[in-house]
Amino acid sequence: MKQFFLGSVVAASLLMLSGCGDELQLTAAQVKNVDKMSVASDQTTLDVYCPTGICIFDLSSNIETNVVVTMHYNDDKTFSKIEGVSVTGRMGSTVKVLGENSFSMDLSADNDVSKIQVVDFYR
C-alpha cells in the first residue's frame, strides 16, 4: 500500500511539473544578413550565422522561456566580441551578454515577436 501511495504522489508531482502539455516551440526568422539559423532540439538554444558581423532576426516562443543565442560568422568562426544586442519588443530588457559570442534573453508566452540586431565589435 505504501508503494502504491508513493507511486501516486510521484506521478501527480510529475504531471504538475509538466504543465499544461504544450511543447516549447521557438520560432526564428531571418531578416537581414543572416545566412542560416539552427534551433537545438531542446528549443532553448539558437545558432545564428551572420557573415557580415551585423545582422537582424526575429524570435518568438509559444511558452515563456529563456533562450541562449550563439553568434557565428560561418561554420568555422564565431563572433569575436559582441558589441551590442538591440531588441525591439517588450522582452528587450532581459538581454544578458554571456560571453564573447553569445547572449541570453527571455521570450514571452504569446508568440510576441522580438526583432533582434546583433553587432560584432571586430566586424
Side-chain angles (χ1 to χ4, degrees), residues 54-66:
I54 301 174
C55 60
I56 301 172
F57 55 94
D58 291 341
L59 278 180
S60 64
S61 175
N62 64 329
I63 297 174
E64 187 173 316
T65 191
N66 182 273

Side-chain angles (χ1 to χ4, degrees), residues 4-55:
F4 175 75
F5 179 72
L6 182 60
S8 298
V9 169
V10 169
S13 298
L14 289 174
L15 283 173
M16 288 178 10
L17 287 174
S18 67
C20 299
D22 288 341
E23 287 191 34
L24 174 62
Q25 182 63 46
L26 183 68
T27 303
Q30 303 169 353
V31 176
K32 185 176 182 183
N33 295 331
V34 176
D35 274 356
K36 63 181 177 178
M37 303 172 87
S38 174
V39 177
S41 61
D42 67 358
Q43 298 287 304
T44 62
T45 307
L46 175 69
D47 289 303
V48 178
Y49 295 84
C50 172
T52 64
I54 301 174
C55 60

